[in-house]
Amino acid sequence: MSHYAGHVQVVTSEHKGVRRGVTITAACSVSDNPPTVLVCLNNSNLSNDVLFESGFFALNSLAAHHEALAGAFAGFGKLSAEERFALGTWRTLETGAPVLDDALAAFDCRVVDRKVTATHTVLFGEVLALHMGPKQPALIYLDRGFRTL
């Protein structure tokens, strides 16, 4: 799967006062009516329970300059959640999920379906709000490394 290029994104949520964010490349558009996206999350990470239980999430599409933020949310450096979120400026839209101010795009979603398959859970989210950041080169992950497009 390392040969499959993907746009680097951070999925975020907050549940009972606990914020969670994780770097992923497994996300895509599902439908435009209603606007729906999906994200795939590894079941082995117990911290992902915040994303599974909250009922909402934000999908933040990263730009090339977000490489350090992507690495932090991927677990490089073993930073705490508070330290990871301190690397960016965040806001909330409709659901209360953290949205990155300068993301290329951030989709604020309500979970409408959930499927478990193999090692991952797929969350389907109806987009309730959209935030568009400045146009910049996108951050891509390919061959186990970050690239720009």
Side-chain angles (χ1 to χ4, degrees):
M1 297 309 290
S2 67
H3 297 288
Y4 187 87
H7 189 172
V8 181
Q9 305 188 60
V10 171
V11 179
T12 58
S13 194
E14 185 170 340
H15 184 61
K16 296 183 178 177
V18 176
R19 287 196 299 180
R20 169 73 173 145
V22 63
T23 301
I24 67 167
T25 56
C28 68
S29 171
V30 175
S31 171
D32 62 355
N33 190 16
T36 305
V37 297
L38 69 77
V39 299
C40 301
L41 300 165
N42 193 314
N43 295 326
S44 67
N45 191 326
L46 298 179
S47 297
N48 284 342
D49 285 350
V50 170
L51 290 154
F52 298 146
E53 295 171 4
S54 69
F56 56 86
F57 63 86
L59 180 62
N60 298 277
S61 298
L62 301 187
H65 74 276
H66 290 125
E67 187 172 332
L69 185 132
F73 278 94
F76 305 143
K78 307 288 185 200
L79 300 176
S80 69
E82 183 176 292
E83 292 169 318
R84 292 175 189 190
F85 279 99
L87 295 173
T89 302
W90 304 86
R91 68 172 68 185
T92 59
L93 301 175
E94 295 294 317
T95 70
V99 169
L100 185 61
D101 265 348
D102 64 344
L104 296 177
F107 305 87
D108 193 24
C109 304
R110 176 179 58 88
V111 175
V112 293
D113 202 358
R114 176 179 166 167
K115 303 285 184 202
V116 177
T117 181
T119 59
H120 285 65
T121 295
V122 181
L123 296 179
F124 294 85
E126 180 181 359
V127 179
L128 302 180
L130 173 66
H131 170 72
M132 300 293 290
K135 290 188 183 219
Q136 302 174 62
L139 186 62
I140 305 296
Y141 193 77
L142 174 67
D143 291 331
R144 301 194 193 301
F146 293 113
R147 314 275 189 250
T148 61
L149 179 64

